Amino acid sequence: MKNNILEEVYKVLETRRDRPIDSYTSNLMKDDKKTGEDKILEKIGEEAAELIIASKNDENVLEEAVDLLFHTFLLLVYKGIKFDEILDEFSKRRKPQ
Ligand SMILES: N=c1c2ncn([C@@H]3O[C@H](COP(=O)(O)OP(=O)(O)OP(=O)(O)O)[C@@H](O)[C@H]3O)c2ncn1[C@@H]1O[C@H](COP(=O)(O)O)[C@@H](O)[C@H]1O
């Protein structure tokens, strides 16, 4: 379902971390020549730069923003943070309207 897509993708990433296969996300999270953390942080740097350029050019902003969100999720999965903790963190910050 559309409203669960973020949680669904998050669960797939946890599976890719815990039961690695030959795939983009498993390979990024794998600690080999570089640590998974370093590989993911490099991607986050690239994706952040791509989003800045997209925004300034008014081109592909949505796609580049989702790329950055996706790789941020990947870092959080790598760090062992649960999806519910993200929701809890947003809830804590919610101000009464
Ligand atoms: N949502 C995504 C997703 N968004 C972006 N990407 C990948 O992130 C990369 C973005 O990098 P770039 O923008 O730099 O594009 P690129 O030029 O292809 O870069 P490189 O791949 O060469 O680094 C691309 O390779 C995309 O394929 C994603 N890869 C996977 N997912 C989800 O993660 C799940 C697990 O993915 P796998 O590990 O591939 O099974 C999938 O089922 C999807 O739901």
Side-chain angles (χ1 to χ4, degrees), residues 47 51 54 59-69:
E47 300 301 345
L51 176 58
E59 216 174 74
N60 301 328
V61 175
L62 173 62
E63 291 81 357
E64 297 301 345
V66 172
D67 275 348
L68 181 57
L69 287 170

Side-chain angles (χ1 to χ4, degrees), residues 9 12-13 16 21 23-26 43 46-47 50 64 67 70-71:
V9 171
V12 173
L13 298 182
R16 293 287 188 264
I21 59 169
S23 84
Y24 177 74
T25 61
S26 279
K43 282 305 288 184
E46 284 171 29
E47 300 301 345
E50 285 172 16
E64 297 301 345
D67 275 348
F70 173 72
H71 287 88

Side-chain angles (χ1 to χ4, degrees), residues 3-49:
N3 59 345
N4 283 334
I5 185 71
L6 294 181
E7 190 168 10
E8 270 175 39
V9 171
Y10 209 87
K11 283 191 179 134
V12 173
L13 298 182
E14 289 175 328
T15 306
R16 293 287 188 264
R17 178 195 63 201
D18 298 338
R19 293 199 291 283
I21 59 169
D22 185 13
S23 84
Y24 177 74
T25 61
S26 279
N27 290 331
L28 261 186
M29 285 189 277
K30 200 186 300 165
D31 295 319
D32 41 35
K33 280 174 277 173
K34 284 186 195 171
T35 64
E37 181 176 19
D38 282 354
K39 287 185 280 181
I40 297 165
L41 291 175
E42 269 174 30
K43 282 305 288 184
I44 288 177
E46 284 171 29
E47 300 301 345

Side-chain angles (χ1 to χ4, degrees), residues 79-90:
K79 291 284 190 184
I81 291 165
K82 297 279 182 203
F83 188 75
D84 270 359
E85 292 180 79
I86 303 173
L87 301 185
D88 290 344
E89 188 61 32
F90 270 103

